[in-house]
Amino acid sequence: MSPMITLRLIPPFLTLSVWIGGAMLVAAQEAPTVYSTANEYVRLTLRADGCWGQLTDLRTGHDYCARVAPPVAAHVRVGDRDCPAVAAERDGQRLVLRFAETDARATLTVTTHPHHFVFEVCATEGDGIESLTLLDLPTTLTGVPEDPLSVCALALNLQTRVPELPRPVARPTAMCYHRFGMVGARVALVVCPSEQLRTVLQEVVRKSVELPFSTIGGPWAQDYAVNRGSYLFDFGDLNEQTVDDWIKLARQLGIGQIDFHGGRSFRFGDCRPNPDIFPQGVASLKAVVDRLHAAGIKAGLHTYAFFLAKDTPWVTPVPDPRLGKDAAYTLAEPLTAEATLVPVREGLDGRSLNTGFFERNSLTLQIDDELIVYAGLSTEPPYAFTQCQRGALGTTPAAHAPGATVHHLKQCFFLFTPDPDSTLLAEVAQKTADVYNACGFDMMYLDALDGEGILGGNEYGWHYGSRFVFELFRRLDRHPVMEMSTFHHHL
């Protein structure tokens, strides 16, 4: 018997049915292409089943799109479910993606540039979407400089998270979150000859309107010897009287920079110079920096990023309502100005009395304009903070009515924090930039930035730490050499 062959189009697959001796064999082909674009280096296509079709090097014709598993282009997170894209269609210049096990939809635009592509979220639909992976491109590349092509994702704003540093990777991905707004999230997909990667990244960064950047950092950093220098730490002994001794020491050691460490030289948070060391404030500090510059030595400002000393004006004598808080309780009874016990309606399970340099915990409460430091807890009803010092940190003891909110302040490194979603984060950046600019510093060390998780939780620390850095960079008069105690994509 001759075989009977039947072709059927069952979206998104084209099936080939072959009857042989009464048995039917079915082979499924790839879904049709719904989107295709090309720039100077590569062709990129997307299929109707929501999977990538090809990532083809136009010089060689080699396709680097991985085939080991379905190369799904995007995902959404709904509750505890990860829902992959299962369908894609083109709507004019937009791509509409649908996802498995949900009614969620995402609409993206893809803009083709000579050396990269830009993906932007235009709209999302559906209930309960917590996050969207707007780019996920599995490749057969290995993510090493020896690959003929380098591929990487570069987040173009703070709505977009890319887990990897901007470098060659095998699988570029980018996510956005409901918390920060998904519409407007943008990522550049760079695919280029490996030897041109830094040049292309420089091009992308320069074109972005939302990325502050330094022309001696990021993809430019390797071009400047200043980034490979050494420095001495000053912990408060460098002043107008001792600066010549420091210059002599630096020359003897062949070191070209001195780093002014905060805490004693200046105050963390507002960077106010210590009046015991710099009697004329910023003018005295600038005089020392000028002497270093005259000797050919660079000066570094070593801060604790966004953290706030407890004697800054944001804390005392009237605490700023924008201080960072990690819990709120309700005052259960009237509180006199002399009381040493603060009764609250809510339970205190999980509240700790442990503090330490790396402990993310304070023993400080804020009620209206008063700070209260406690030394004990009543974790059984009636719940209360006990052994309280009233009017702590220079604030004024006061009576408070029942029902008042009892805030618990955040703390790490024995320092307070701003509320990350308030304007205080930008104010701290402005104060830091003011001192950097006025004194003519050359370098900045954002120490304690590894504590960024205290701002919005470890899951979102990347966003808030980067937000502070972005706010700072926008205010600097000159591009600094940068050092940070943590390092991730946006940094």
Side-chain angles (χ1 to χ4, degrees), residues 383-398:
Y383 307 111
F385 297 92
T386 64
Q387 303 175 54
C388 293
Q389 174 195 343
R390 302 297 301 279
L393 299 173
T395 62
T396 302

Side-chain angles (χ1 to χ4, degrees), residues 360 452-454 456-462:
R360 295 184 180 183
E452 63 191 3
I454 197 172
N458 289 332
E459 181 180 1
Y460 301 115
W462 63 271

Side-chain angles (χ1 to χ4, degrees), residues 325-378:
K325 297 139 181 126
D326 58 15
Y329 304 91
T330 308
L331 191 62
E333 301 173 7
L335 188 67
T336 67
E338 299 79 23
T340 59
L341 182 147
V342 177
V344 293
R345 295 175 187 169
E346 296 82 6
L348 299 177
D349 287 345
R351 197 82 270 157
S352 170
L353 294 175
N354 294 331
T355 59
F357 188 73
F358 292 106
E359 287 284 338
R360 295 184 180 183
N361 183 47
S362 82
L363 302 180
T364 307
L365 307 174
Q366 181 178 352
I367 309 179
D368 302 323
D369 291 338
E370 180 185 3
L371 296 181
I372 301 169
V373 172
Y374 62 91
L377 296 167
S378 176

